[in-house]
């Protein structure tokens, strides 16, 4: 029973001493210890096993027990000391708490005393300052009352004086007094409920109304609407009346201005009536001369009568412009059939000059009152077409040099008066457009006649192919037309002019450029009858002459100039036309036309050189390669090809020096044409001996090196060929070399030969393989087993339509062309 009780006591003790992990971790941090007895997961069995790992270690068990007992005694002493120390802690804590509570009570009492004293001080200050505040309020009210009474006195006296001065027409004094009375009256708006104040306000309004009517009557008397004579000059009364009108209702000022301008321009309407001879366009200068005289007369007589801020001179000029625009539009509708281009341009030129004169003289601030709105200034541009038109000589020189994008002097500020009169000419600009259509047609016909008379341009090997002078002349004329039309209108007439430009750009491309390209005499594939009859070195082939080559290069350079300048022209037109019409400016079709001319010119150059090389390739395919006994220098046909290349390419390069990118295109197109044709003729060389294949491999390498050097052949300045061109030559000629290496390889054993073919030719297929077997001279019976083996060892083509299409397009193009050439040869030989 005792043992069971002890076990229960131990279990209860362990349950009580079971600490949470957080508490255990805190204890370990505060009292770090390496003693196993201090660990939370202490295991007595493991601890004993550690102390006595073997039976021999039990010999010192008494010593271990003594150490543990000593440790237990020390722990008991420590616990006893701590427990005794904690007996007085509770009593000390209660005593400290009581002292703290007493200190808080004392502090609260002191704070309450301070608060009571502060409230008494505040009450004392309020009693002291109460009388001062009352005095301040009294002073403020008294000041306000005195000020109001002063204002009331001023208002009453001012109204009386205003009425008296109005009756005596003392406008100079009224102008100053009225403004002061209105300023004083503003202080009484919140007192309008008082009858006397409201009565004074009504008297002021009545005085203003009376002043307005009186001033209008004075002006009507001084400047009658019906009358033949004006007074000798302005009076001081009217000048002061204008100052009063500035203060009155703005409608009074507008009425004065309207009546004065109408009376001032009444003579103009009589002198330039529609039935008068001076009213027609040929005497439009007289209109502008008349208004200039009237403006000078106004400045001399009435310049000081009206305030400067009324801008009377500008208002007279603007009203004149509105009347003139209406009258001109009316008379031009009546006599539309009499309008000619020269007369129309003369009238427009004089009108725009007058508008420029107005822009220099006036700011245009009064235009916001009228119907014409000031144009928004476009973003700054280096476009020369936005500049003032230069002298014709300078203009033509700049166009001939293609200097359309050179920076010019800064553009002058926009003219706010632009179109204020000249807008009336816009409905009649169809006359100008039709005239330009006719002039451009005649210009194109003259270009055609000049080209036929002068012939093709002379060869130019120093500075590149010359651009045809007619091209610069055309764009000079285009610029002149565009500048003129943009000064007349930026609306629909500009769209009509753009359509005319498009028409004659196409005609220039067809009649001058495409129409003068030399016609090739070679047939399909570049073969001629002479090349079939004379298959030896030096065969005569129809070729372009030096003059024809230079002409093609000149046409190509001209087309490139036209292409670039047409793109610039489109940009300038878009800058000139109204924003809403920009989308209708599109010269893409014309640029495509010039691109077509460039492509045709390059194709002609390629066909010419290609045809010149055809006899040499035909000679190569007709040689008996099985009878070649030793490998020597390059074959005669290679020399012939190199000779033709050296004859043509330097001429083309020198004449296309200013358009290097198109010379590069020529080289690329020639390589893409010559190399497949060379491989096609290579397949015709059958049978071939081992030595013959070696000779062909040497010839192929020679042609490869010549083609790689093609862009700089015959040039003193050696340039690196473009990477795009080099890639084409290396890929194509390497394929030809690989074909010959397969031909040179022994066909026994079959597996090795087939694997070698697949390895050397990445685009291997059965058709090419059969042609190689034909070149080796193998019989059909021998070829069948090899073809079957190739089909077995060829990698499976990718599935899907893309794979089948790519496989079908691997090498049929040269083979089909070869078949067509063979049929053509047989047909011609039969007919011969």
């Amino acid at each position: 029973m005792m043992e069971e009780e002890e076990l229960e006591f131990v279990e209860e003790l362990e349950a009580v001493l079971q600490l949470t992990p957080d508490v255990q971790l805190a204890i370990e941090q505060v009292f770090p210890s390496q003693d196993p007895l201090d660990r939370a997961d202490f295991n007595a069995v493991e601890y004993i096993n550690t102390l006595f790992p073997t039976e021999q270690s039990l010999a010192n068990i008494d010593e271990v027990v003594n150490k543990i007992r000593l440790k237990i005694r020390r722990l008991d002493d420590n616990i006893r000391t701590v427990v005794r120390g904690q007996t007085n802690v509770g009593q000390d804590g209660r005593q400290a708490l009581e002292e703290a509570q007493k200190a808080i009570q004392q502090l609260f009492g002191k704070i309450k005393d301070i608060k009571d004293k502060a409230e008494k001080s505040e009450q004392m200050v309020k009693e002291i300052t109460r009388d001062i505040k009352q005095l301040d309020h009294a002073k403020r009210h008294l000041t306000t009352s005195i000020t109001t009474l002063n204002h009331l006195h001023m208002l009453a006296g001012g109204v009386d004086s205003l009425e008296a001065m109005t009756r005596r027409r003392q406008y100079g004094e009224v102008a100053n007094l009225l403004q002061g009375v209105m300023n004083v009256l503003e202080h009484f708006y919140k007192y309008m409920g008082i009858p006397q104040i409201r009565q004074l306000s009504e008297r002021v309004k009545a005085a203003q109304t009376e002043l307005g009517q009186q001033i209008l009557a004075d002006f009507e008397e001084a400047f009658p609407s019906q009358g033949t004579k004006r007074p000798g000059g302005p009076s001081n009364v009217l000048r002061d009346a204008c100052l009063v009108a500035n203060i009155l209702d703005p409608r009074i000022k507008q009425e004065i201005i309207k009546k004065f301008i109408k009376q001032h321009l009444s003579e103009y309407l009589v002198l330039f009536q529609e039935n008068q001879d001076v009213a027609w366009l040929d005497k439009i200068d007289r209109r502008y001369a008349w208004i200039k005289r009237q403006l000078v007369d106004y400045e001399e007589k009435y310049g000081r009568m009206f305030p400067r801020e009324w801008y009377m001179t500008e208002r007279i000029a603007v009203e004149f412009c509105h009347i003139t625009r209406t009258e001109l539009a009316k008379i031009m509708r009546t006599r539309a059939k009499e309008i000619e281009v020269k007369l129309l341009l003369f009238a427009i030129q004089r009108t725009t000059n007058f508008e420029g004169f107005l822009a220099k003289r006036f700011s245009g601030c009064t235009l916001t009152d009228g119907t014409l709105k000031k144009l928004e200034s476009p973003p700054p541009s280096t476009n020369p077409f936005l500049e003032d038109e230069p002298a014709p000589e300078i203009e033509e020189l700049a166009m001939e040099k293609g200097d359309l994008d050179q920076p010019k002097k800064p553009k002058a500020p926009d003219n706010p008066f632009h179109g204020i009169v000249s807008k009336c000419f816009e409905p009649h600009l169809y006359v100008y457009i039709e005239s330009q259509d006719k002039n451009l047609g005649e210009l194109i016909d003259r270009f055609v006649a000049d080209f036929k008379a002068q012939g093709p341009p002379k060869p130019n090997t120093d500075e590149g192919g010359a651009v045809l002078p007619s091209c610069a002349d055309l764009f000079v004329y285009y610029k002149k037309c565009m500048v003129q039309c943009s000064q007349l209108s930026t609306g629909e007439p500009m769209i009509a002019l753009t359509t005319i430009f498009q028409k004659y750009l196409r005609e220039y491309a067809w009649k001058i450029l495409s129409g003068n390209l030399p016609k090739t005499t070679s047939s399909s594939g570049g073969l001629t009858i002479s090349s079939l009859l004379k298959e030896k070195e030096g065969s005569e082939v129809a070729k372009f002459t030096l003059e024809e080559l230079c002409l093609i290069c000149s046409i190509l350079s001209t087309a490139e100039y036209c292409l670039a300048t047409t793109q610039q022209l489109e940009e300038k037109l878009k800058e000139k036309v109204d924003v809403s019409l920009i989308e209708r400016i599109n010269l893409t079709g014309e640029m495509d036309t010039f691109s077509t001319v460039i492509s045709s010119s390059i194709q002609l150059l390629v066909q010419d050189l290609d045809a010149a090389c055809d006899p040499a390739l035909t000679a190569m395919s007709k040689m008996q390669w099985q009878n070649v006994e030793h490998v020597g220098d390059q074959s005669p046909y290679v020399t012939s090809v190199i000779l033709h290349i050296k004859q043509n390419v330097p001429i083309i390069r020198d004449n296309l020096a200013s358009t290097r990118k198109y010379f590069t295109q020529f080289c690329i197109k020639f390589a893409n044409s010559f190399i497949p044709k060379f491989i096609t003729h290579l397949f015709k060389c059958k049978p071939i001996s081992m030595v013959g294949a070696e000779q062909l491999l040497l010839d192929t390498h020679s042609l490869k090196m010549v083609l790689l050097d093609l862009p700089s052949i015959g040039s003193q300045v050696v340039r690196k060929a473009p990477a795009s061109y080099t890639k084409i030559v290396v890929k194509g000629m390497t394929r030809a070399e690989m074909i010959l290496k397969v031909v040179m390889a022994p066909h026994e054993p079959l597996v090795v030969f087939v694997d070698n073919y697949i390895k050397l030719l990445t685009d291997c297929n059965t058709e090419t393989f059969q042609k190689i077997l034909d070149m080796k001279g193998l019989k059909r019976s021998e070829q069948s087993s090899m073809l079957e083996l190739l089909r077995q060892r060829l990698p499976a083509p990718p599935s899907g339509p893309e794979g089948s299409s790519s496989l079908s397009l691997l090498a049929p193009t040269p083979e089909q062309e070869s078949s067509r050439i063979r049929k053509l040869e047989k047909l011609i030989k039969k007919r011969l």
Side-chain angles (χ1 to χ4, degrees), residues 475-734:
F475 283 101
V476 165
Y477 192 82
Y478 272 9
K479 177 186 175 184
K480 179 181 177 182
C481 294
M482 181 166 50
V483 171
Q484 274 187 343
C485 191
S486 63
Q487 292 175 350
L488 309 179
S489 171
T490 56
E492 288 294 335
M494 284 292 288
I495 302 298
L497 185 67
T498 301
T499 304
I500 299 299
F501 284 175
Q502 292 175 299
K503 172 184 175 182
Y504 289 102
L505 283 174
R506 292 191 296 268
E507 285 203 13
Y508 185 84
W510 295 332
K511 294 183 179 180
I512 307 298
L513 301 181
S514 295
N516 289 306
L517 283 174
K519 301 299 185 292
T520 178
T521 57
S522 59
S523 60
S524 175
L527 289 176
T528 62
I529 296 176
S530 59
S531 66
L532 293 175
L533 295 177
K534 301 179 180 180
E535 298 170 352
K536 60 182 181 178
E537 181 187 357
S539 299
E540 295 296 331
V541 182
K543 291 180 57 179
F544 291 139
T545 62
L546 175 61
E547 289 76 12
E548 290 175 329
L549 288 176
C550 293
L551 173 61
I552 296 174
C553 294
S554 179
I555 290 176
L556 192 153
S557 301
T558 303
E560 188 217 10
Y561 173 86
C562 292
L563 176 62
T565 312
T566 301
Q567 184 176 0
Q568 298 169 18
L569 178 64
E570 181 183 34
E571 295 172 359
K572 310 311 175 189
L573 287 168
K574 287 182 177 180
E575 292 173 4
K576 285 291 185 182
V577 80
D578 290 339
V579 177
S580 60
L581 300 176
I582 287 180
E583 296 298 329
R584 295 173 61 183
I585 304 290
N586 186 359
L587 302 183
T588 305
E590 289 64 39
M591 288 187 275
D592 292 342
T593 302
F594 289 117
S595 298
T596 302
V597 174
I598 293 173
S599 300
S600 301
S601 302
I602 294 175
Q603 191 60 35
L604 278 178
L605 296 174
V606 171
Q607 287 179 359
D608 180 62
L609 183 57
D610 208 15
C613 297
D614 275 346
L617 296 180
T618 304
M620 176 191 76
S621 62
K622 298 299 181 181
M623 288 181 62
Q624 301 297 322
W625 293 101
Q626 74 275 19
N627 298 330
V628 178
E629 297 179 354
H630 61 276
V631 179
D633 294 334
Q634 63 187 25
S635 302
Y637 74 89
V638 177
T639 305
S640 176
V641 171
I642 296 174
L643 177 63
H644 289 302
I645 290 176
K646 288 184 176 181
Q647 286 177 351
N648 282 32
V649 174
I651 297 173
I652 297 172
R653 181 183 59 244
D654 293 340
N655 280 275
L656 294 180
S658 58
T659 55
R660 294 290 303 178
K661 63 178 180 179
Y662 293 118
F663 175 69
T664 302
Q665 288 188 21
F666 160 75
C667 295
I668 291 174
K669 287 190 176 183
F670 174 72
N672 283 328
S673 173
F674 176 80
I675 294 175
K677 187 179 293 186
F678 172 76
I679 293 176
T680 300
H681 282 78
L682 196 64
F683 284 134
K684 295 180 182 180
C685 300
K686 55 186 178 182
I688 304 177
S689 64
M690 179 66 71
V691 179
E694 291 178 358
Q695 180 64 50
L696 273 174
L697 185 61
L698 176 64
D699 295 341
T700 302
H701 181 72
S702 299
L703 286 175
K704 178 180 178 181
M705 300 311 295
V706 170
L707 290 175
L708 287 174
D709 192 42
L710 180 71
S712 60
I713 193 168
S715 174
Q716 296 179 354
V717 180
V718 179
R719 295 184 180 180
K720 186 178 180 181
S724 56
Y725 171 76
T726 303
K727 182 179 179 181
I728 292 172
V729 173
V730 170
K731 181 179 179 181
M733 295 306 290
T734 301

Side-chain angles (χ1 to χ4, degrees), residues 92-267:
D92 295 341
R94 286 192 295 273
Q95 184 178 356
L97 179 61
E98 291 174 356
E99 292 176 356
Q101 289 175 346
K102 291 179 180 180
I104 290 172
Q105 289 177 356
Q106 292 175 0
L107 180 62
F108 181 76
K110 291 180 180 180
I111 292 173
K112 186 176 181 182
D113 292 341
I114 293 171
K115 181 179 179 182
D116 293 340
K117 292 179 180 179
E119 290 177 352
K120 292 178 180 180
S121 299
E122 184 181 1
Q123 186 67 26
M124 187 181 300
V125 170
K126 286 181 179 180
E127 292 176 357
I128 293 171
T129 58
R130 183 181 296 115
D131 296 336
I132 298 175
K133 288 183 178 180
Q134 289 177 355
L135 290 174
D136 286 341
H137 288 304
K139 179 183 177 182
R140 188 180 305 113
H141 293 325
L142 184 60
T143 303
T144 303
S145 301
I146 293 172
T147 304
T148 304
L149 288 173
N150 287 335
H151 286 165
L152 182 59
H153 176 71
M154 292 169 56
L155 181 60
V159 171
D160 294 336
S161 301
L162 182 63
E163 292 173 345
M165 291 177 183
T166 301
R167 289 191 295 270
R168 295 194 298 268
R169 283 181 165 78
Q170 295 177 344
Y171 296 129
E173 292 78 1
V174 168
N176 297 324
L177 181 60
L178 179 60
Q179 186 63 52
V181 169
M182 293 178 66
N183 291 338
V184 172
L185 187 60
E186 291 178 0
H187 297 283
F188 291 93
Y189 283 156
K190 54 186 176 181
Y191 304 118
M192 285 300 171
I194 302 173
Q196 291 80 359
I197 301 298
R198 185 168 58 253
Q199 183 180 2
L200 286 173
S201 175
E202 291 173 354
R203 288 175 61 188
V204 172
K205 292 181 180 179
Q208 288 179 319
T209 304
E210 184 180 354
L211 274 172
Q213 295 174 354
Q214 190 170 296
I215 290 172
L216 289 176
D218 291 344
F219 270 93
E220 182 65 27
E221 182 180 352
F223 304 101
S225 301
Q226 302 294 334
T228 56
K229 289 187 177 181
R230 296 182 187 172
S235 65
N236 292 332
V237 175
L238 294 182
R239 181 182 63 188
D240 295 338
C242 291
L243 298 177
V244 177
N246 258 343
I247 305 171
L248 297 175
D249 191 339
R251 287 177 293 183
I252 303 297
K253 170 185 169 182
Q254 295 297 332
E255 187 68 22
I256 294 172
I257 293 173
K258 182 179 178 182
K259 286 187 175 182
F260 179 82
I261 294 177
K262 182 178 180 182
Q263 197 275 340
H264 206 72
L265 296 177
S266 59
E267 181 183 352

Side-chain angles (χ1 to χ4, degrees), residues 14 36-37 39 41-52:
E14 289 179 352
L37 295 174
R39 295 179 59 184
D41 56 346
F42 174 76
N43 190 325
V45 176
E46 291 182 358
Y47 182 69
I48 293 173
N49 291 336
T50 303
L51 294 177
F52 307 104

Side-chain angles (χ1 to χ4, degrees), residues 426-492:
E426 186 168 325
H428 305 277
L429 286 179
Y430 67 89
V431 178
Y432 172 79
I433 301 299
E434 292 173 356
S435 172
Q436 297 307 322
D437 189 2
K438 179 181 177 182
N439 293 341
L440 282 170
E442 295 174 353
L443 188 64
I444 295 294
D445 292 340
R446 180 167 64 83
F447 289 161
V448 174
D450 291 346
F451 190 90
K452 291 180 180 179
Q454 298 174 4
K458 295 181 180 180
N460 183 0
T461 58
D462 295 329
E463 300 179 359
V467 176
L468 298 179
S470 59
C471 174
D473 294 341
L474 178 66
F475 283 101
V476 165
Y477 192 82
Y478 272 9
K479 177 186 175 184
K480 179 181 177 182
C481 294
M482 181 166 50
V483 171
Q484 274 187 343
C485 191
S486 63
Q487 292 175 350
L488 309 179
S489 171
T490 56
E492 288 294 335

